[in-house]
Amino acid sequence: MSEFPYLPLETKGWRMAMGLRPLDIDHWLEVDEGRESELEQKRRLLERAYDVVVATNREGDAGSRELLAEVTNFLEVHYPNITIELRDDDHPVVAAARLVQEDLCVLVRSDAWRLQAACVCFPSRWNLASKLGTTLDDIHRPVPSYDVELSRPTNAFFERLKPSRSFWRLNWTLIDSPALHQPTSARRSPHGDLADWFFRVERQTLRRLPLSDAIIFTIRNYVASAQELCDSHEEFGPTLLLNLDTAPESMQSYKGWIGVADRLRRSLGGVTN
Ligand code: HEM
């Protein structure tokens, strides 16, 4: 397995945090050897399930056009060998999303910051159509404790975000399928044990665009076999177990992890015996 780029487990146990870090804009989007296959998956999804992976309101048009210009400029500067082909009939957020492995969301300020355009081919168990036009608080309604712990700082962050300083953050989960396209929000516990599980990391970036004043949210997914990560990183298994054990029950239930820590404990015991 090639080196897995991000292992965002908390060494001291579960913590609910914004976890924002300053983004070096030269590393806004990431291109790797999975590009061809992921872009092919996007092409297929756009053909067969357009309404599942694309949602747009007119309010998001200007931000989408500026996003497309930013994406093409980024690729021209940092990946000059990539050929940029655009189709005339694509919405600009779709045109941009066809060029990169990231999923792309455009948020626009009206009475509040609202999601007004997006192309999300690789959702981690959420439904895009139901979030279109809604606020950050509504988008995050299913997330336990978001309202008390993250709503205020996240809204304040959006108000203060400047085009000159962008940010990124990581989310992770443990699931029983390596599929990138997981649009159903039902969260059942992963079946099986360590050998059947996958560690899925989302690398997210946040930028405010200067002309349209939209905020662009990008989501890039990385998935690896949990067993392989345990084998290749000594600390991974025990730290994963610590994070599962210390996550509040509401979060375990939201993430579909009920009973998973005990099964992981047994799997890890098997590895070390
Ligand atoms: C500073 C910005 C943000 C923070 C701190 C944040 C935080 C979070 C957290 C903690 C979760 C729980 C996910 C997990 O760990 O599995 C979550 C879920 C989610 N976030 Fe965010 N988020 C941010 C921005 C956004 C933006 C801009 C969008 C726009 C599309 C978004 C869309 C979502 C969605 C769709 C979910 C899944 C909700 C569901 O289960 O229905 N987030 N976010």
Side-chain angles (χ1 to χ4, degrees):
M1 186 181 69
S2 61
E3 192 57 29
F4 195 66
Y6 302 106
L7 290 176
L9 292 172
E10 294 285 341
T11 52
K12 293 185 180 145
W14 176 267
R15 199 164 61 96
M16 183 81 164
M18 292 178 79
L20 291 166
R21 309 167 209 199
L23 173 71
D24 173 354
I25 211 65
D26 289 336
H27 298 281
W28 176 35
L29 306 171
E30 297 189 331
V31 175
D32 68 16
E33 69 285 353
R35 184 170 187 269
E36 259 322 298
S37 135
E38 287 178 35
L39 295 197
E40 177 55 31
Q41 286 184 58
K42 285 191 176 193
R43 274 194 287 276
R44 245 179 293 136
L45 287 161
L46 285 162
E47 216 170 275
R48 296 182 194 159
Y50 190 88
D51 292 343
V52 178
V53 300
V54 179
T56 59
N57 282 336
R58 285 197 168 281
E59 289 87 337
D61 285 357
S64 298
R65 284 194 294 271
E66 191 177 2
L67 167 63
L68 175 58
E70 287 291 324
V71 167
T72 51
N73 180 56
F74 180 85
L75 291 177
E76 280 162 7
V77 171
H78 297 284
Y79 299 94
N81 295 333
I82 288 180
T83 313
I84 296 176
E85 284 168 25
L86 301 176
R87 291 170 26 168
D88 290 345
D89 54 344
D90 265 342
H91 187 285
V93 78
V94 175
R98 281 188 200 276
L99 297 173
V100 291
Q101 287 159 273
E102 280 76 7
D103 284 326
L104 304 174
C105 299
V106 178
L107 290 99
V108 179
R109 179 92 165 87
S110 49
D111 57 325
W113 285 97
R114 290 176 183 270
L115 179 62
Q116 298 292 20
C119 180
V120 179
C121 289
F122 306 138
S124 196
R125 301 196 174 164
W126 57 279
N127 171 272
L128 174 62
S130 69
K131 312 277 189 191
L132 183 69
T134 69
T135 64
L136 285 167
D137 283 353
D138 286 337
I139 290 170
H140 291 100
R141 200 68 66 198
V143 179
S145 307
Y146 179 91
D147 53 348
V148 281
E149 294 193 43
L150 293 184
S151 166
R152 257 176 48 157
T154 302
N155 284 313
F157 166 78
F158 268 67
E159 291 304 324
R160 286 196 307 260
L161 186 59
K162 301 263 184 313
S164 55
R165 277 195 81 205
S166 305
F167 290 84
W168 67 290
R169 65 185 297 273
L170 296 168
N171 258 353
W172 65 271
T173 195
L174 191 66
I175 47 179
D176 57 11
S177 161
L180 287 174
H181 178 66
Q182 299 207 34
T184 42
S185 46
R187 284 161 200 260
R188 51 186 173 75
S189 287
H191 72 77
D193 59 20
L194 182 58
D196 307 298
W197 296 341
F198 295 86
F199 189 67
R200 176 168 172 144
V201 173
E202 286 186 358
R203 174 188 183 267
Q204 307 173 340
T205 73
L206 288 142
R207 290 184 62 183
R208 189 165 194 156
L209 299 185
L211 303 177
S212 60
D213 209 29
I215 289 181
I216 299 309
F217 181 61
T218 72
I219 312 161
R220 173 71 188 278
N221 283 277
Y222 293 93
V223 181
S225 146
Q227 178 76 69
E228 284 179 27
L229 289 175
C230 283
D231 294 345
S232 55
H233 297 78
E234 201 183 333
E235 285 313 306
F236 179 79
T239 314
L240 177 61
L241 183 57
L242 176 69
N243 276 262
L244 294 175
D245 270 336
T246 49
E249 200 166 320
S250 54
M251 186 52 77
Q252 298 202 16
S253 162
Y254 167 71
K255 295 261 203 177
W257 294 342
I258 298 289
V260 169
D262 288 339
R263 277 185 277 155
L264 177 62
R265 207 180 328 276
R266 280 200 294 277
S267 296
L268 292 177
V271 169
T272 49
N273 281 344

